[in-house]
Amino acid sequence: MRNLALTSSIYKFGRRGRTLRTTGVEDMIEHVPMEDQRKGAASLDEARLRQQAIGVKLRQMFDEVVNEPIPDEFLDILRKAEKPSGER
Amino acid sequence: MSEAQVGRSPIDPVRDEVFRKELVTLIPHLRAFARTLTGDPTAADDLAQDAMMKAWDARVSFQLGTNMKAWTFMILRNQFYSEKRRSWRQSQLDQEAAERTLVAVDDPEAPVALDELRMSLAMLPPEQREALILVGAGGFAYEEAADICGCAVGTVKSRVSRARRALQAILESGGYERDGGAAGDAMHAILADAERLSTQR
């Protein structure tokens, strides 16, 4: 769950209106500026951690539905379809 | 099992039972996948039921022992696109997503909320979203995802990677500008930006 806490850092970059901060992040990932190696490395780590956090949430979102009980409707429909002489 | 060999016959109760049991175990996954495609629980269950019945009706053509999960996901996906739910969904979600995300970013220190991720995900181009879901949440290998989507493995890889970046960009920007301006426009700007950045090299 530690990963999730790290996601709070996401917002420190955001909300600058139209001038979107995608450039900064892409720079971190694609090419670390030479004059800023150390900061770049740290940012790369941070970007990776943020991606991990998103990945965790993504699975959580999916699994939330997977873990729901199957609605009866599904099993009813299937049961009816199974009847060979077509009672449905 | 010898029944599998006789599986060619349309009427084969034993084989049907094997098939049915496996299909039932896949229902939760079909529902989850459908939910990410439609973004709406009711429409998702309709879609998942349709896919389940299509799979059942086509059971004779399925080879037991092969990947039924991937097979049913492919059916569900085809069903989704053939019903053109896609266009219906996009027009509906743009506005909804805009409204809800604006609320979600109120607290700058809040962790990624599920709801916000859901809305951000809804803003991705459909092919990127489904690729990311299949690989990032559904547990499919790139190869399986490629089979499901009917495209090349490399295409899936690039879609997943673009989806990840776009998603991060959307989350980081807090969705779109908060004051004035059309949220929809800002959203498209984000996506265009993310797209441009992820393709340039």
Side-chain angles (χ1 to χ4, degrees):
Chain A
M1 282 295 114
R2 191 169 165 269
N3 279 340
L4 300 183
L6 287 161
T7 58
S8 62
S9 61
I10 285 173
Y11 297 96
K12 291 172 186 152
F13 289 82
R15 295 158 63 193
R16 285 182 175 83
R18 283 228 155 156
T19 331
L20 301 162
R21 292 289 295 162
T22 49
T23 320
V25 178
E26 289 300 318
D27 283 343
M28 292 165 199
I29 296 169
E30 299 295 338
H31 37 82
V32 179
M34 289 249 258
E35 67 271 20
D36 216 348
Q37 289 280 0
R38 235 190 48 193
K39 201 173 146 203
S43 305
L44 194 66
D45 266 359
E46 209 180 312
R48 195 168 23 234
L49 286 171
R50 263 180 267 138
Q51 271 303 341
Q52 270 177 21
I54 292 173
V56 167
K57 277 289 176 185
L58 208 55
R59 279 189 293 279
Q60 192 185 331
M61 186 192 81
F62 194 84
D63 289 345
E64 218 173 58
V65 185
V66 171
N67 291 328
E68 286 174 11
I70 301 174
D72 291 340
E73 219 183 331
F74 280 82
L75 302 173
D76 289 346
I77 293 171
L78 197 54
R79 208 172 290 126
K80 278 180 200 150
E82 264 188 295
K83 303 264 165 82
S85 50
E87 278 175 40
R88 44 171 165 154
Chain B
M1 71 172 64
S2 62
E3 287 83 6
Q5 322 252 313
V6 202
R8 302 229 143 224
S9 157
I11 302 160
D12 184 340
V14 180
R15 185 188 189 277
D16 279 0
E17 182 55 17
V18 173
F19 183 93
R20 192 193 62 85
K21 277 191 177 140
E22 194 173 346
L23 185 58
V24 168
T25 68
L26 292 173
I27 292 173
H29 301 269
L30 291 171
R31 293 184 71 232
F33 185 42
R35 189 84 62 95
T36 64
L37 289 180
T38 65
D40 171 79
T42 310
D45 273 0
D46 285 350
L47 175 62
Q49 280 168 15
D50 287 351
M52 179 186 77
M53 288 319 297
K54 274 207 150 54
W56 174 258
D57 291 342
R59 63 194 181 280
V60 183
S61 70
F62 178 75
Q63 202 187 332
L64 286 181
T66 62
N67 192 339
M68 195 191 278
K69 189 178 174 190
W71 183 69
T72 51
F73 271 51
M74 188 173 64
I75 291 172
L76 187 144
R77 182 185 175 275
N78 290 343
Q79 178 80 4
F80 173 69
Y81 285 112
S82 72
E83 286 177 17
K84 301 247 190 284
R85 287 174 200 249
R86 174 179 171 173
S87 52
W88 162 79
R89 177 176 183 279
Q90 285 214 310
S91 55
Q92 194 180 33
L93 273 182
D94 282 3
Q95 190 51 40
E96 196 182 318
E99 286 161 9
R100 296 174 74 177
T101 308
L102 290 178
V103 175
V105 291
D106 262 345
D107 176 8
E109 297 298 322
V112 175
L114 267 192
D115 202 43
E116 192 184 339
L117 177 68
R118 212 171 273 130
M119 289 301 117
S120 306
L121 203 57
M123 288 175 229
L124 298 182
E127 67 276 7
Q128 287 185 24
R129 178 174 52 244
E130 70 182 6
L132 181 61
I133 289 292
L134 290 171
V135 172
F140 288 103
Y142 284 114
E143 289 74 12
E144 293 170 323
D147 283 345
I148 292 168
C149 301
C151 64
V153 177
T155 307
V156 172
K157 285 183 179 169
S158 110
R159 282 176 187 171
V160 169
S161 133
R162 278 147 70 190
R164 286 202 167 116
R165 290 177 206 191
L167 204 53
Q168 194 169 326
I170 294 168
L171 287 168
E172 276 169 19
S173 67
Y176 0 80
E177 65 179 344
R178 294 162 58 82
D179 325 300
D185 286 354
M187 183 186 82
H188 290 304
I190 295 169
L191 286 178
D193 244 25
E195 185 66 15
R196 179 177 55 76
L197 288 161
S198 62
T199 47
Q200 77 182 12
R201 229 155 244 261

